[in-house]
Amino acid sequence: ANNAVFNDADCTNANFKLADLRGASFSNATLYGTNFEGARVHSVSLVGAKLNNIPSGMVDISEKGDGSRLVPIAQWLSTTGIALP
C-alpha cells in the first residue's frame, strides 16, 4: 500500500499488520481498532484521522522500511499530529 490513499476512509478494525504503508495518506480516516503492528509507516499522513484508543505494538519508521527504526505505535502516533484519545 506504498503511497496509498485512504482519505476519508472507514478503516475500522482494518488489519495493516506488517503492511508497507510508507507515504500513505489517512487524512480524515476513521481508524478505530486498526492494527498497525509491524507496519512500515515512514511519511504516513494522519491529518484529521480519528482514533478511539492507542494501539499497542511496534511500527517501523525507517525511510527504507528495513526494520532499522522500530518504535512503539504510541510514540509514532505522538509525532504525527493526530489528536490522541
Side-chain angles (χ1 to χ4, degrees):
N2 201 308
N3 294 312
V5 177
F6 298 97
N7 296 343
D8 302 304
D10 183 352
C11 296
T12 300
N13 297 319
N15 186 2
F16 293 114
K17 184 174 183 175
L18 301 176
D20 186 352
L21 298 173
R22 290 176 294 159
S25 177
F26 288 91
S27 295
N28 301 309
T30 301
L31 302 174
Y32 300 154
T34 301
N35 180 1
F36 287 105
E37 176 69 33
R40 290 167 275 180
V41 296
H42 184 311
S43 296
V44 167
S45 173
L46 296 172
V47 175
K50 297 171 280 304
L51 287 172
N52 60 343
N53 64 356
I54 299 175
S56 60
M58 305 288 277
V59 289
D60 178 7
I61 61 170
S62 66
E63 186 174 348
K64 293 181 180 180
D66 59 7
S68 63
R69 295 191 62 203
L70 295 174
V71 298
I73 292 173
Q75 181 180 333
W76 163 61
L77 290 173
S78 72
T79 66
T80 64
I82 192 171
L84 297 176

